[in-house]
Amino acid sequence: MTKLGLDRGATDDAVLAASELATNALTHSGAAAPPELWVWARTTPRPQLLITVYDACRASWPTNTPGDLLDDHGRGIGIVDMLADAWGAHPSRSICTGGTQGKAVWAAFPLPGPWPDPRTTAPPMLAARHLTATLTARGITNTAHRHGRGVSLVTIPLGSNEETNIWIEPGHLSYTLPNGTRHRRPIVDLHDTTETLVQHIETQRGTR
């Protein structure tokens, strides 16, 4: 975290939030898959450190209920809400167990600028292969990628005969979801983009 420019206080806040999220996951998660801790940085909507805990239980969702932060139980999300810029939860899939369905609970912390280093990027072909492999490992099958001169295309099935194309060019990627929302993000946001796509797929499946 210090390499991202976080001072000691901000680092302590992030570590405490991670501990609270992990404790909640261990307390409430099902036995389908063990909880997982994910940490990455993103630039959109602004430079942030994202701490996420996955668990395989969708029957229980976190809420920030009023209470005494000194209580021994039920205070975890209240602490996260107090420490983080923002927090939330959404349907997701495991990274480590072949895409077991579950949920991701996350907390975001501001990163001081300037970030990222403009040299922090990857060639389009490498980014496309990484995106395809990551989605496949998480159970999103039939994902395909093609490559041209200076651009790569990843096609992702979204279900119900829908798909989306991720155009990856030097320095950035772009895509449009079936609901018409357009996204353009730097390649350094590839991890966060992957999670956004998994969230969309799982949310759509939950509404059918």
Side-chain angles (χ1 to χ4, degrees), residues 25-51:
L26 289 168
T27 301
H28 301 293
S29 66
E36 300 171 17
L37 174 64
W38 309 335
V39 181
W40 60 73
R42 67 183 181 188
T43 66
T44 304
R46 54 191 172 275
Q48 291 176 316
L49 176 71
L50 208 68
I51 296 175

Side-chain angles (χ1 to χ4, degrees), residues 37-180:
L37 174 64
W38 309 335
V39 181
W40 60 73
R42 67 183 181 188
T43 66
T44 304
R46 54 191 172 275
Q48 291 176 316
L49 176 71
L50 208 68
I51 296 175
T52 303
V53 173
Y54 157 89
D55 69 70
C57 177
R58 291 187 183 174
S60 175
W61 291 83
T63 57
N64 183 18
T65 55
D68 188 347
L69 291 179
L70 298 179
D71 287 345
D72 289 335
H73 303 287
R75 61 180 184 145
I77 292 299
I79 292 175
V80 172
D81 182 67
M82 181 177 64
L83 296 174
D85 252 13
W87 71 274
H90 58 258
S92 188
R93 283 174 172 257
S94 165
I95 291 176
C96 301
T97 62
T100 303
Q101 292 180 316
K103 68 177 181 290
V105 186
W106 56 269
F109 294 84
L111 287 175
W115 188 90
D117 186 318
R119 296 169 295 179
T120 306
T121 187
M125 182 181 295
L126 181 61
R129 288 175 174 171
H130 179 81
L131 176 60
T132 301
T134 302
L135 289 171
T136 300
R138 298 180 72 177
I140 311 299
T141 57
N142 299 319
T143 300
H145 57 87
R146 291 174 287 172
H147 310 287
R149 182 173 298 178
V151 63
S152 291
L153 173 65
V154 179
T155 301
I156 302 171
L158 301 178
S160 296
N161 297 318
E162 294 179 336
E163 63 182 24
T164 190
N165 291 320
I166 315 293
W167 295 92
I168 305 177
E169 301 175 76
H172 70 271
L173 55 86
S174 57
Y175 61 97
T176 301
L177 293 175
N179 61 11

Side-chain angles (χ1 to χ4, degrees), residues 6-41:
L6 291 175
D7 60 27
R8 179 62 181 271
T11 298
D12 289 345
D13 287 348
V15 170
L16 177 56
S19 175
E20 295 296 338
L21 293 178
T23 299
N24 282 353
L26 289 168
T27 301
H28 301 293
S29 66
E36 300 171 17
L37 174 64
W38 309 335
V39 181
W40 60 73

